[in-house]
Amino acid sequence: MKVETTTVLAHATYGGDYRCLELEAPGIAPEVRPGQFVHIRLPAPADAILRRPFSVFRADGDRLQILYKAVGRGTAAMRHLQPGDGLSILGPLGNGFPAAAADALPVLVAGGYGMAALYLQARTLPRRGIAFFGGAKAGDILCVPEFEALGWEVRATTQDGSRGERGLVTDALDAWLSGGGRDLRPEFFACGPNGMLRAVGGRAEAGGWTAWLSMDRHMGCGVGACLTCVQKIRDPDAPGGWSWVRICREGPVMECRTVVWEGDE
Amino acid sequence: MTATPDLAVRIGSLTLRNPVMVASGTFGYGPEYADLVDLASLGAIVVKGIRAEPTTGNPTPRTVETASGLINAIGLPGPGVDGFVRDYLPFLRRHDVPVIVNIWGRTVEEYGDVARRLGAVDGVHALEINVSCPNIKEGSKAFGTNLESFRRVVDLVRASTRLPVIPKLAPNVADIASFARAAEECGSDAVSLINSIPAMAVDIETRRPKLGNITGGLSGPAIHPVAVKLVWEAARAVKIPVIAMGGIRDAADAIEFIIVGATAVAVGTANFVEPGTAPAVVEGIRSHLVRHGLPSVAALRGTVVA
């Protein structure tokens, strides 16, 4: 973990509101493990003072890529970054994904632009399985050629039916499970909105499988000091049967059985 | 012209190698930042608030970013005295840095109990008394804004330990000088200020508060000028050292505090953004003193022309 002033190599639109930021980060990029993230200091002047966390999409040699969607105050400040600009990043942070179970079929599940957080794991896993990508519309289904080039079978689902099956990503997952998938001993690696993660975790628990969920929580320092990004986990030894973990430090990847979901997630 | 100005400062019986600390609640208990910051470069580390027993803190969301600021309502989760001594103090003892423990309680008696227990272990160098956390529903908040309760807490802590004691003052009082004087009269070795400023933010679409605790405390660059004014008033009111905090981003912000009378400063929210802020502030103070031909940080203290 270190703070590094990186150099922007490229900053391209990736369709719609999505952008891909490529950084020269010789101190951090070689250290990144699948599922880890970096904490980016927004370009000045910005009255948004905190860093912003981003999953690492790709890390190749000294270079790393961040795939993001320009939606809020923080990402708006990033839109004008140009090749050659300096950018301070802190990382790599978080625990990352574990190695795959030997006898399971890896199954990736991504919602939103969660596929970006799964790419390094997809490249690292010893077996190629099935990847379920869900989004609101065709423009939200990203990186399909990249995953297919690694040997993954990608199944897309959109809520408006503009690409793949119409519905939620979990609808496609359920159809696959009942069509023989459950006999293949799936092990899930998932990143996306909390509702999707909870649903994937529920399928895994019901089937007796494992699901590794890359969780997104409102975050402050990124290193475990501020205690903003805390998540309840099951803890039989604690009063009430739960305790906090810090998603930035003990996460962001949590096994579904440990997570205590709140009512509205 | 002095090439190597003297940066050392004294807080009661404690000597700090430089006047730059890290503020309670913004640096964990030390290990969180040990990969990023040489702890021995700090004047002192002020660890997150400790009370008698383990505490879970507030529900989420616990922080919200506002214009040049951060509102927090973490709620002082922590391991309690025994957990701190068991899990963190051995780590801190291995580093060459004074450890100031921020203490709090739900009753006056609990403050005394915590002070007595922490004063009896090796590796704690001073106690900062948190009487002003805006996020605690129990007595703690009132201890910081009611002069009589404030005196009771400080008196009891003073009587419970031989360590230097440093009450941390709340900014939301009518007369900061009266609290600083009360601290001095009760035998405090220093006062620190300001704690975060009570604050609130609301989501205009859902009309719900943005914090799980509804209200919180504002910190960050937004509060710096408020802190400068209060530090100036407190420093004029007492002879004991004033430790200043509130929105320090760089050496200039820290130097401003010293000029209005602060003996030492603490970097807070900026640690979350740039972990190397405190060492950079030390270097910036040093070069400022050299540039102005001052032999020591003490020579800069209280030199405001007003």
Side-chain angles (χ1 to χ4, degrees):
Chain A
M1 184 205 305
K2 56 174 71 84
V3 176
E4 181 174 24
T5 301
T6 66
T7 305
V8 176
L9 296 174
H11 193 198
T13 59
Y14 216 77
D17 294 329
Y18 297 99
R19 284 162 191 271
C20 186
L21 183 64
E22 186 174 27
L23 304 173
E24 175 85 14
I28 291 175
E31 307 295 320
V32 173
R33 298 194 311 271
Q36 289 191 300
F37 68 96
V38 294
H39 218 17
I40 294 186
R41 180 153 186 194
L42 299 174
D47 72 352
I49 58 172
L50 296 175
R51 289 175 181 263
R52 297 294 192 269
F54 294 91
S55 298
V56 174
F57 169 35
R58 302 182 64 146
D60 299 289
D62 291 347
R63 299 177 169 208
L64 61 80
Q65 292 183 354
I66 308 296
L67 188 59
Y68 73 97
K69 189 176 185 181
V71 282
R73 222 157 51 114
T75 43
M78 289 168 58
R79 281 207 325 249
H80 304 293
L81 284 169
Q82 302 277 344
D85 287 351
L87 191 68
S88 169
I89 71 174
L90 166 60
L93 301 173
N95 59 351
F97 287 109
D103 55 348
L105 178 76
V107 174
L108 311 180
V109 187
Y113 55 108
M115 56 286 281
L118 298 173
Y119 179 82
L120 287 178
Q121 180 71 351
R123 197 167 72 180
T124 306
L125 287 167
R127 279 181 77 183
R128 303 302 192 238
I130 299 187
F132 293 93
F133 289 0
K137 57 186 190 305
D140 298 320
I141 305 296
L142 309 174
C143 310
V144 174
E146 286 91 336
F147 280 77
E148 287 179 343
L150 294 174
W152 289 80
E153 177 191 342
V154 178
R155 298 193 184 179
T157 312
T158 52
Q159 287 172 45
D160 69 356
S162 55
R163 179 162 181 183
E165 293 288 312
R166 180 191 295 267
L168 297 172
V169 68
T170 40
D171 296 333
L173 179 62
D174 286 340
W176 177 79
L177 284 170
S178 53
R182 59 177 62 251
D183 301 325
L184 302 174
R185 298 179 52 82
E187 179 181 31
F188 299 101
F189 301 90
C191 184
N194 287 327
M196 186 206 90
L197 294 179
R198 187 177 188 172
V200 171
R203 305 298 190 278
E205 251 185 283
W209 310 305
T210 302
W212 301 100
L213 312 177
S214 175
M215 301 189 65
D216 189 9
R217 280 286 180 269
H218 177 56
M219 199 171 278
C221 67
V223 301
C226 77
L227 308 179
T228 293
C229 64
V230 292
Q231 167 66 44
K232 284 183 185 176
I233 60 157
R234 292 177 197 170
D235 182 352
D237 299 331
W242 65 270
S243 59
W244 296 114
V245 292
R246 303 163 296 184
I247 285 299
C248 69
R249 199 94 184 195
E250 286 80 39
V253 177
M254 308 295 296
E255 207 286 317
C256 67
R257 281 165 185 77
T258 65
V259 176
V260 177
W261 296 100
E262 307 280 3
D264 56 350
E265 287 176 320
Chain B
M1 183 68 83
T2 309
T4 53
D6 181 7
L7 294 185
V9 297
R10 287 182 66 84
I11 306 292
S13 58
L14 183 62
T15 299
L16 313 182
R17 68 171 64 85
N18 70 61
V20 185
M21 313 177 182
V22 286
S24 179
T26 66
F27 212 76
Y29 304 97
E32 293 85 347
Y33 279 106
D35 288 350
L36 299 166
V37 180
D38 175 11
L39 301 187
S41 70
L42 305 172
I45 173 169
V46 188
V47 300
K48 189 162 176 63
I50 296 290
R51 63 177 288 259
E53 301 298 327
T55 308
T56 53
N58 284 331
T60 58
R62 287 175 160 188
T63 65
V64 57
E65 188 183 49
T66 57
S68 296
L70 177 71
I71 310 178
N72 88 80
I74 308 291
L76 295 174
V81 171
D82 292 342
F84 170 70
V85 170
R86 182 188 64 234
D87 298 339
Y88 296 105
L89 207 49
F91 169 88
L92 290 165
R93 278 196 209 105
R94 291 198 298 273
H95 290 82
D96 179 24
V97 61
V99 174
I100 301 176
V101 179
N102 180 284
I103 64 167
W104 68 285
R106 289 177 169 159
T107 62
V108 175
E109 292 70 27
E110 186 177 352
Y111 280 91
D113 175 46
V114 174
R116 185 181 49 73
R117 289 161 64 189
L118 285 172
V121 297
D122 183 38
V124 176
H125 300 94
L127 301 179
E128 181 179 59
I129 313 174
N130 187 351
V131 284
S132 45
C133 180
N135 302 320
I136 299 300
K137 289 193 170 60
E138 298 86 357
S140 184
K141 180 164 53 178
F143 297 144
T145 53
N146 178 294
L147 205 48
E148 194 179 330
S149 311
F150 176 78
R151 282 180 186 276
R152 285 172 55 216
V153 170
V154 178
D155 266 336
L156 181 59
V157 171
R158 177 70 288 168
S160 304
T161 182
R162 296 172 65 179
L163 293 172
V165 298
I166 309 163
K168 185 168 184 175
L169 306 185
N172 49 312
V173 295
D175 178 22
I176 198 81
S178 62
F179 282 84
R181 275 193 294 266
E184 185 171 49
E185 287 160 12
C186 293
S188 301
D189 296 276
V191 291
S192 61
L193 69 156
I194 60 177
N195 210 321
S196 57
I197 300 174
M200 181 173 177
V202 175
D203 183 314
I204 63 166
E205 299 302 323
T206 65
R207 299 177 189 165
R208 289 182 180 180
K210 290 183 176 177
L211 292 170
N213 191 54
I214 302 178
T215 63
L218 180 65
S219 66
I223 72 168
H224 180 67
V226 178
V228 171
K229 186 253 192 189
L230 292 169
V231 167
W232 178 61
E233 290 179 342
R236 290 199 304 176
V238 294
K239 292 192 175 64
I240 54 176
V242 172
I243 302 165
M245 60 209 67
I248 293 179
R249 281 170 303 180
D250 54 25
D253 293 332
I255 290 164
E256 201 178 356
F257 276 137
I258 294 166
I259 288 172
V260 298
T263 293
V265 299
V267 174
T269 304
N271 293 318
F272 297 153
V273 186
E274 217 46 86
T277 301
V281 167
V282 174
E283 288 317 304
I285 291 172
R286 193 193 311 276
S287 61
H288 182 86
L289 295 174
V290 169
R291 196 153 47 80
H292 287 267
L294 294 168
S296 64
V297 66
L300 182 64
R301 184 188 313 144
T303 55
V304 64
V305 182

